[in-house]
Amino acid sequence: MDPKNPITVTSPLLPPLEEFVPYLEQIWQSKWITNNGHFHQELEKALCEYLGVEYISLFTNGTLPLITALQALRIQGEVITTPYSFVATTHSIWWNGIRPVFVDVDPNTGNIDPDRIEAAITPRTTAIMPVHVYGTPCEVDRIEAIARKYGLKVIYDAAHAFGVKQNGRSILNAGDISTLSFHATKTYNTVEGGALICHSKEMKQRIDYLKNFGFAGETEVIAPGINSKMDEIRAAYGLLGLKHVDAAIAARKQVAERYREALREVKGLRLFEDVEGVTHNYSYFPIFIQADEFGETRDELYFRLKEHGILGRRYFYPLISTFSTYRSLPSASADNLPVATRLANEVICLPMHHELTPEEVEHIIHVIKNR
C-alpha cells in the first residue's frame, strides 16, 4: 500500500452527488435555509421512524445536545461519568458549571462499571452520564435501578450508538435523555450534526426552545438558550444518508467479521466480544495490545502501522481524567481508574468503514501479524 494514500480509520458516508443536487435546488428555490425548515422537519420524522424513538431534536453538532440535555433536566452539583470517552462528554458537564466525578469502566466493554457507581454518589450527585463506548450498550437496567434508588437523572452519550438495538429495542430509549453525534467520522453523518432523544412532547418542546435562544414565539424568550439549530443543507444530506446507511453498516459488518476471524488468536492482542442480543452498527473496531505477550507496545504497533500507510487511532487516549482541566479532581486519580487507564494505554482502533476493500483489510491484518 502507498503511504501517500493511507488507509484511514474512518471515511464519511457520502450520498451520491446526483441524488443531492435536486435537494440543493429545492433549498435554493425556497430560500429557506435554516430555522426548522422543510428538510429539518422531514429528517426528524425519518429518524424517529428509523431509530425507533418517539421524540428527537436535531442539533448543529454532537456536543451541544449534551450541554442542552444538562440544561433541560436542570442538572447541578455533581455528575458521575466515565473518563474513557471523547472529551466532549466531560466538557459538557464542565461548561454547565457542574463537577464531573469519574468512575472506572468494565474491562470487557469499556463502558462505565455499574459496580463503581454507588460508591461515588454524594449528597451533591444529581445525574449519571454514561457512554455507549464504540456503540456497545451500557448495562442500562442496572444503571436505571441505581438512578431510581437515589433519585438521579440519566443522560446517555450515545454518540457511537446510531441504530443500535438491544433485544430488538432501540438503546436510545434508555435513560431520561440520549444524545447522538452525526459528525463525518460516524457511521451515519450530516457532515456536522447531532441529535437529542427524549421521551415526552413537553421535554422536546423545552429542548427546542433551548436550542433556539430560548424563543417561545416571535417576541417571548423563556430561557437563556443557545443557537444550535441544524440547517437545511445538512438536514437534506442526512435524509439522503439514511437511504444508504444500512448498506454501509452491512459493509462494516463484513470488515469486522474478517478482523475478528483473523486476529482472535493473535497472542497478546485482545478484542472486545459482541454482546449477545445487540444489533451492532460496527462504528469502531478496537484492539488492545498487551506488550509482554505481543512483543511490541501499543505505540510501537501504532507507528509501525502508520509506516505502512495504515492510520489507526488511539481512541480513547489519553484519558479525559488526565487532561489539565480535570487531573486535579480527586476522582481523576489513576488509582481510582485502573481499568480505564489500562485500556487507554493498550487501545488502537483499526480502520473501520464501508469503503475498505478486501485487499486493504488483508494488508492491515498482515502488518499486525507479521512484526
Side-chain angles (χ1 to χ4, degrees):
M1 297 291 171
D2 183 1
K4 294 181 180 179
N5 295 291
I7 303 172
T8 57
V9 71
T10 61
S11 181
L13 177 59
L14 293 167
L17 182 59
E18 63 273 14
E19 293 183 22
F20 195 33
V21 169
Y23 286 76
L24 293 174
E25 290 176 340
Q26 186 173 334
I27 293 168
W28 193 266
Q29 291 167 6
S30 72
K31 300 181 181 179
W32 192 330
I33 60 175
T34 187
N35 283 62
N36 198 32
H38 169 75
F39 289 127
H40 180 285
Q41 295 177 45
E42 288 300 307
L43 182 56
E44 285 196 344
K45 292 176 186 176
L47 285 171
C48 281
E49 182 176 351
Y50 182 90
L51 296 172
V53 301
E54 193 167 0
Y55 299 101
I56 192 166
S57 295
L58 296 176
F59 282 73
T60 192
N61 60 47
T63 302
L64 289 168
L66 288 166
I67 294 173
T68 304
L70 291 158
Q71 286 282 322
L73 294 173
R74 299 180 173 88
I75 303 301
Q76 298 178 335
E78 295 177 351
V79 170
I80 293 171
T81 191
T82 169
Y84 194 70
S85 181
F86 186 63
V87 291
T89 306
T90 308
H91 283 356
S92 70
I93 298 170
W94 197 263
W95 269 62
N96 275 284
I98 302 165
R99 183 185 181 94
V101 176
F102 297 113
V103 299
D104 211 359
V105 301
D106 186 311
N108 298 311
T109 63
N111 289 333
I112 196 168
D113 186 347
D115 289 337
R116 308 292 180 184
I117 293 174
E118 283 197 76
I121 295 173
T122 75
R124 287 176 49 79
T125 306
T126 54
I128 308 168
M129 186 180 282
V131 179
H132 301 302
V133 174
Y134 308 131
T136 298
C138 294
E139 294 185 58
V140 296
D141 291 339
R142 292 186 63 195
I143 293 170
E144 180 65 22
I146 294 168
R148 287 181 179 177
K149 180 178 178 181
Y150 292 94
L152 307 177
K153 300 295 186 181
V154 181
I155 300 168
Y156 281 102
D157 182 340
H160 298 171
F162 180 87
V164 173
K165 296 180 180 179
Q166 189 161 30
N167 300 321
R169 185 172 183 265
S170 172
I171 198 65
L172 301 175
N173 287 308
D176 294 280
I177 284 177
S178 291
T179 69
L180 286 167
S181 170
F182 299 152
H183 185 268
T185 57
K186 300 299 188 286
T187 303
Y188 166 83
N189 77 93
T190 58
V191 185
E192 280 274 8
L196 189 155
I197 294 91
C198 62
H199 311 307
S200 73
K201 182 178 179 180
E202 292 75 20
M203 180 57 72
K204 175 174 165 52
Q205 184 65 79
R206 174 168 172 76
I207 289 160
D208 287 345
Y209 289 152
L210 286 171
K211 76 175 187 180
N212 186 29
F213 305 99
F215 275 105
E218 185 176 349
T219 59
E220 184 180 9
V221 174
I222 62 169
I226 54 177
N227 180 16
S228 52
K229 306 180 298 295
M230 180 181 285
D231 60 76
E232 284 291 88
I233 294 172
R234 280 183 281 185
Y237 186 103
L239 280 168
L240 277 172
L242 269 182
K243 296 180 180 180
H244 300 279
V245 70
D246 286 340
I249 292 172
R252 286 169 173 264
K253 182 180 180 181
Q254 289 186 328
V255 174
E257 289 175 345
R258 178 59 188 140
Y259 279 152
R260 196 173 295 281
E261 174 188 43
L263 301 176
R264 184 186 297 277
E265 303 302 327
V266 174
K267 191 175 181 181
L269 186 155
R270 188 170 73 93
L271 308 175
F272 281 165
E273 298 296 333
D274 285 346
V275 178
E276 186 176 353
V278 173
T279 303
H280 291 273
N281 65 10
Y282 306 96
S283 290
Y284 297 90
F285 196 91
I287 63 173
F288 300 87
I289 302 301
Q290 284 98 49
D292 290 347
E293 293 186 29
F294 188 72
E296 195 173 33
T297 67
R298 183 277 307 275
D299 286 351
E300 286 171 340
L301 174 58
Y302 171 78
F303 287 110
R304 187 163 61 81
L305 288 168
K306 188 175 287 190
E307 289 172 0
H308 286 82
I310 302 164
L311 303 184
R313 187 176 180 188
R314 292 170 290 185
Y315 192 65
F316 302 100
Y317 169 82
L319 285 179
I320 298 172
S321 52
T322 66
F323 293 130
S324 59
T325 305
Y326 307 113
R327 65 172 66 119
S328 63
L329 295 170
S331 64
S333 166
D335 291 339
N336 184 52
L337 308 166
V339 177
T341 299
R342 187 178 75 247
L343 293 181
N345 290 331
E346 293 178 349
V347 68
I348 300 177
C349 285
L350 300 181
M352 168 54 73
H353 56 82
H354 63 292
E355 292 187 332
L356 283 172
T357 67
E359 293 76 18
E360 288 172 330
V361 173
E362 294 306 317
H363 174 60
I364 294 164
I365 292 167
H366 176 79
V367 172
I368 292 171
K369 296 176 76 172
N370 290 273
R371 50 198 181 279

